[in-house]
Amino acid sequence: MKLSEALGIINRSRTIGSVQSYNLICGFTPLHLETYIKAMLQMQDYEHRVVINLGVYGDIFSGLNQSARTVPTIICLEWGDFDPRLSWRSLGFWSNEILENILSTFKGRLDRFAIDLEKAAEESRIIVTLPLLPLPPIGTNPYIQTHPHTLLLKGMMLEFGARLSLHNNVRILNDDAIRLENSDLDWDFKSYLKNGYPYTLGTTARLATKISRLVVERSPIKGIITDLDNTCWSGIIGDDGLDGIGWTQEHGAHEHGLYQAMLTSLAQAGTLVAIASKNSEDTVAEALELTSIMLNKAQIFPIEVNWGRKSDSVSRILNAWNISAGDVLFVDDNPLELAEVKQAFPEMECVRFPVGEPNKVKSLIVELRDRCGKSIVSPEDLIRLDSIRKMAVYNKDTKNLTSSVDFISTLDASITYSISDRFIDDRALELVNKTNQFNLNGKRFTLQKWVSLKEQADRFLLSFEYNDKFGALGRISVLSGVIVQGQLVVDVWVMSCRAFSRDIEYFILSELFAHFEVDEICFEFLDTIKNAPLKTFLLTHTIPEPIGDRIVIAADDFVLNCPDLHHTSTKKLN
Amino acid sequence: MDKQVLINCFKLVFPLLTDDEILRCSTSSFPEWDSVSNIQLTCIIEEECGVDLPDDILESLTSFDLIFRYIRDKV
């Protein structure tokens, strides 16, 4: 992006009344970095005008301590922030005699900053970039040889980053992600000396793009459907046999092994992985049993191996997963298959596996990590595949039953729920932001907006976890509302579609009436394209007809329509 | 060199100015034209007009008119 384009984006947003602020703290003049970050963030937010609050020039400590704690904070560090003798812009001595002093000063200030930053991260999202500039040529050795003190300084900085990266609310920029496109991270020494701004425009644009991705995290891809021949392995197993396919250096196919390893790694963190392959089942089964294969069959479900259309296989996979096509990536080497699936599922992203092009395979693997990765892996992520497999068994068992109610009574279902005001809860927010079908009004929240709900008087938050004889589903529902003049008003209610057909929604309403001892509950409902299941449920119980976007359910009416509930329940207080 | 190209560069950095105000604009008459906005303006002009504005010349380019004449003579 050119500087003129960035300024154009910012200028066009001037008339937007509602503001979203961010803090930017750096020891150098923010200049073009402020402009580009503002533009990148503005591109992702049509509803607000982006405002960047700048920290105190030259002092990141004061900048952090004086910054507003309720908005996201971006901190761009350079070496000189912790000891001016490590800045090219300061005149300090680099002799051997003071190197130990530099080390101890640097460590002391770095540790102090870590403490301040951890405190700030309790209240808002913090994005940190570690130093990108080279260290000045300290030491006595030739520059081509790294001085031990240089390594010690870099080690301390990396330890600092590692410590902070463990915090749920801190994101450390991976500078490999900037270097991937262009290994040169250009800096502009002349500009640094003259204006106090160290990076070229090209580096600034790349840096700002990555920073904005960390500020506004996009939802990860939920599932990957992969082909096998010339994708997971080189060769075509039907033609070449087991000996003719490969995924190792020996076969000149190492990049295929890396792709398999990435799929396995993603599956372990909760990304759904399935296979859709035109092959014979027995042949593929043999391949998946090989000890050298990097795919873990236990973490792949479903495995669709047949001679039918790929789109039919994909359709069955989507049904088993119960997620929308737009949340899935389909990877295949064959352009015809990609086109066929794309035509059947226009919203699905169909990606060609670049067989024979190892550099592009490397880029694909990194992109999969980037698109599917999660900053925090929740317990629900780890049990997702198991619960989907068990759901498949459950659906098979209930298919021919005439009475699902009788079946529910045999589930040994238990629900654990908590009532709290702790809105710092990534899983609750994740559920609210990704659920579509059982969603009261489709409201989405940034982390800041979600956390700010707790400031409202009489705001409550309930979350529900479910378990039955088919396995644990983890946290499956979140509900929040306020008590206004004695009336219970619910404005957030979502439930994972994996939890449908278990009468959990009835349980939730029943508990709401009992806990709050109210005669009526008002729901702030909004018809979205996808929330028909919730609408149908609510309208079953509301008499008279809803007025506008408020649906009121009376306890008496609810009791008339509520089936016998067979869940055992446990209430946790947070 | 089309004057409007340079006007558009100024508009990006000083979006609230009209075209007429830009034509009459100088560092002494317009307080917002400070050192920081001068850096942005220089980068934009170099980007959009394809010219280099060396530091020793920049100090003397303190008005729209002076900048326009310099670029016109250079291009």
Side-chain angles (χ1 to χ4, degrees):
Chain A
M1 180 188 282
K2 296 198 307 182
L3 184 58
S4 54
E5 288 165 340
L7 283 171
I9 290 165
I10 293 166
N11 289 342
R12 281 191 290 277
S13 71
R14 274 186 305 114
T15 53
I16 301 173
S18 181
V19 160
Q20 173 63 57
S21 296
Y22 301 87
N23 299 320
L24 173 59
I25 296 165
C26 50
F28 50 84
T29 313
L31 205 61
H32 304 310
L33 187 62
E34 179 197 354
T35 304
Y36 272 94
I37 289 176
K38 205 170 179 181
M40 297 297 178
L41 291 173
Q42 191 66 73
M43 277 170 60
Q44 299 180 68
D45 189 347
Y46 297 111
E47 294 174 14
H48 303 91
R49 180 167 45 91
V50 170
V51 168
I52 304 284
N53 304 317
L54 298 175
V56 175
Y57 172 67
D59 182 355
I60 57 168
F61 289 80
S62 299
L64 178 62
N65 291 327
Q66 291 168 19
S67 64
R69 289 300 164 96
T70 54
V71 300
T73 299
I74 301 159
I75 305 175
C76 297
L77 299 175
E78 284 300 343
W79 301 103
D81 293 324
F82 301 101
D83 191 316
R85 291 169 291 189
L86 296 176
S87 166
W88 289 85
R89 215 163 174 252
S90 302
L91 276 180
F93 292 101
W94 294 332
S95 59
N96 266 355
E97 289 74 30
I98 56 148
L99 289 181
E100 287 300 325
N101 183 265
I102 287 178
L103 280 182
S104 66
T105 306
F106 186 83
K107 175 110 184 34
R109 285 172 62 82
L110 198 60
D111 286 344
R112 207 186 104 205
F113 194 69
I115 293 168
D116 290 348
L117 210 153
E118 282 167 339
K119 217 189 298 180
E122 291 301 318
E123 295 180 72
S124 64
R125 175 67 47 85
I126 311 259
I127 286 87
V128 179
T129 70
L130 300 182
L132 297 174
L133 298 180
L135 279 162
I138 58 174
T140 55
N141 45 281
Y143 190 64
I144 196 140
Q145 177 189 347
T146 309
H147 192 276
H149 284 80
T150 302
L151 291 171
L152 286 169
L153 288 166
K154 290 183 178 179
M156 283 187 227
M157 183 58 73
L158 289 173
E159 265 184 46
F160 162 85
R163 168 180 168 175
L164 291 171
S165 69
L166 296 174
H167 197 292
N168 279 353
N169 248 353
V170 176
R171 304 286 184 267
I172 308 288
L173 177 69
N174 179 5
D175 61 335
D176 284 346
I178 314 176
R179 291 178 210 272
L180 195 68
E181 311 135 21
N182 180 344
S183 56
D184 293 330
L185 264 180
D186 301 329
W187 63 306
D188 188 337
F189 186 60
K190 184 177 160 191
S191 163
Y192 195 28
L193 290 187
K194 192 173 169 221
N195 307 318
Y197 185 73
Y199 311 127
T200 62
L201 285 181
T203 298
T204 305
R206 279 152 54 206
L207 181 57
T209 305
K210 303 303 180 201
I211 288 172
S212 70
R213 282 269 320 275
L214 287 177
V215 173
V216 183
E217 289 181 335
R218 56 186 179 190
S219 297
I221 294 285
K222 293 182 187 175
I224 300 174
I225 302 174
T226 183
D227 179 36
L228 289 174
D229 290 331
N230 281 326
T231 304
C232 283
W233 51 66
S234 70
I236 297 174
I237 195 171
D239 294 343
D240 305 327
L242 274 181
D243 293 335
I245 60 171
W247 50 83
T248 63
Q249 293 279 22
E250 214 182 355
H251 289 93
H254 185 76
E255 64 271 23
H256 293 270
L258 291 175
Y259 173 70
Q260 289 183 23
M262 177 52 70
L263 291 179
T264 300
S265 171
L266 291 173
Q268 282 167 347
T271 302
L272 299 169
V273 175
I275 287 171
S277 172
K278 280 185 178 168
N279 252 307
S280 103
E281 276 191 77
D282 294 339
T283 317
V284 165
E286 261 194 279
L288 293 179
E289 291 301 325
L290 291 172
T291 51
S292 64
I293 202 162
M294 301 297 293
L295 291 173
N296 183 346
K297 201 173 87 165
Q299 290 177 323
I300 303 174
F301 181 81
I303 297 177
E304 284 276 338
V305 179
N306 52 66
W307 297 107
R309 288 191 310 182
K310 277 280 171 92
S311 56
D312 290 339
S313 294
V314 168
S315 177
R316 285 188 291 271
I317 292 168
L318 290 178
N319 278 341
W321 285 349
N322 200 12
I323 60 178
S324 78
D327 291 324
V328 172
L329 270 178
F330 173 63
V331 184
D332 198 308
D333 68 297
N334 189 322
L336 187 80
E337 305 288 13
L338 289 166
E340 195 258 323
V341 168
K342 186 73 178 176
Q343 187 175 45
F345 301 98
E347 62 276 36
M348 183 178 293
E349 196 170 337
C350 297
V351 176
R352 189 183 74 85
F353 187 89
V355 63
E357 298 177 272
N359 280 338
K360 290 188 178 172
V361 175
K362 179 191 73 174
S363 298
L364 172 64
I365 288 166
V366 168
E367 193 191 340
L368 289 180
R369 163 62 68 209
D370 201 35
R371 304 282 304 279
C372 303
K374 299 172 184 120
S375 299
I376 295 161
V377 177
S378 67
E380 284 77 18
D381 290 324
L382 298 175
I383 62 172
R384 181 166 294 119
L385 181 64
D386 190 51
S387 68
I388 284 175
R389 276 192 215 265
K390 285 175 175 157
M391 181 71 129
V393 172
Y394 170 86
N395 286 337
K396 200 171 145 198
D397 282 359
T398 55
K399 206 172 168 185
N400 297 319
L401 281 178
T402 53
S403 166
S404 65
V405 172
D406 293 334
F407 182 72
I408 290 171
S409 68
T410 68
L411 288 179
D412 296 329
S414 66
I415 296 177
T416 303
Y417 68 98
S418 62
I419 303 173
S420 81
D421 63 355
R422 286 184 64 216
F423 280 78
I424 300 271
D425 185 334
D426 282 308
R427 172 58 185 161
L429 179 59
E430 185 194 353
L431 202 52
V432 168
N433 280 342
K434 74 175 191 180
T435 305
N436 292 313
Q437 292 173 310
F438 202 99
N439 187 319
L440 186 61
N441 44 38
K443 271 188 200 171
R444 302 300 191 207
F445 295 83
T446 61
L447 176 64
Q448 282 65 41
K449 258 196 195 154
W450 180 249
V451 170
S452 71
L453 288 178
K454 77 170 182 190
E455 306 303 326
Q456 291 177 336
D458 295 326
R459 164 70 59 176
F460 58 88
L461 173 69
L462 277 78
S463 62
F464 299 83
E465 295 170 27
Y466 177 88
N467 211 317
D468 64 26
K469 70 180 185 185
F470 289 96
L473 296 185
R475 183 147 11 155
I476 44 82
S477 182
V478 170
L479 184 149
S480 181
V482 285
I483 301 167
V484 178
Q485 291 171 344
Q487 187 182 47
L488 203 70
V489 178
V490 174
D491 55 7
V492 176
W493 189 14
V494 299
M495 188 168 77
S496 169
C497 46
R498 290 180 296 130
F500 286 178
S501 307
R502 288 167 161 86
D503 289 347
I504 298 170
E505 59 275 27
Y506 288 96
F507 172 87
I508 291 172
L509 272 198
S510 173
E511 284 304 306
L512 270 185
F513 278 118
H515 178 81
F516 289 100
E517 294 178 348
V518 291
D519 295 325
E520 282 182 350
I521 301 175
C522 174
F523 293 89
E524 287 191 352
F525 172 79
L526 196 65
D527 209 330
T528 69
I529 298 171
K530 297 181 183 177
N531 66 354
L534 175 68
K535 184 179 177 184
T536 305
F537 168 72
L538 289 177
L539 291 180
T540 309
H541 303 285
T542 186
I543 298 168
E545 290 294 309
I547 300 168
D549 53 10
R550 287 202 154 193
I551 293 178
V552 178
I553 295 180
D556 295 341
D557 295 327
F558 173 70
V559 161
L560 285 174
N561 289 299
C562 181
D564 292 336
L565 298 176
H566 302 278
H567 315 89
T568 58
S569 66
T570 309
K571 185 158 82 176
K572 286 194 301 193
L573 286 170
N574 286 336
Chain B
M1 152 99 192
D2 184 353
K3 212 173 233 186
Q4 191 60 45
V5 172
L6 190 59
I7 290 174
N8 291 342
C9 291
F10 270 74
K11 273 189 131 89
L12 283 170
V13 182
F14 309 120
L16 297 179
L17 291 184
T18 63
D19 286 15
D20 279 341
E21 285 168 335
I22 287 172
L23 289 170
R24 288 179 274 119
C25 182
S26 72
T27 55
S28 54
S29 69
F30 186 48
E32 276 86 354
W33 190 347
D34 57 17
S35 56
V36 172
S37 50
N38 198 49
I39 296 167
Q40 266 193 343
L41 185 61
T42 306
C43 285
I44 297 280
I45 292 170
E46 288 179 340
E47 217 177 51
E48 298 298 302
C49 302
V51 293
D52 196 31
L53 298 176
D55 290 346
D56 55 341
I57 303 294
L58 257 181
E59 281 173 11
S60 59
L61 300 178
T62 53
S63 71
F64 176 91
D65 195 50
L66 287 170
I67 295 174
F68 176 70
R69 281 199 245 161
Y70 175 81
I71 296 173
R72 184 194 58 194
D73 295 342
K74 258 294 194 198
V75 170

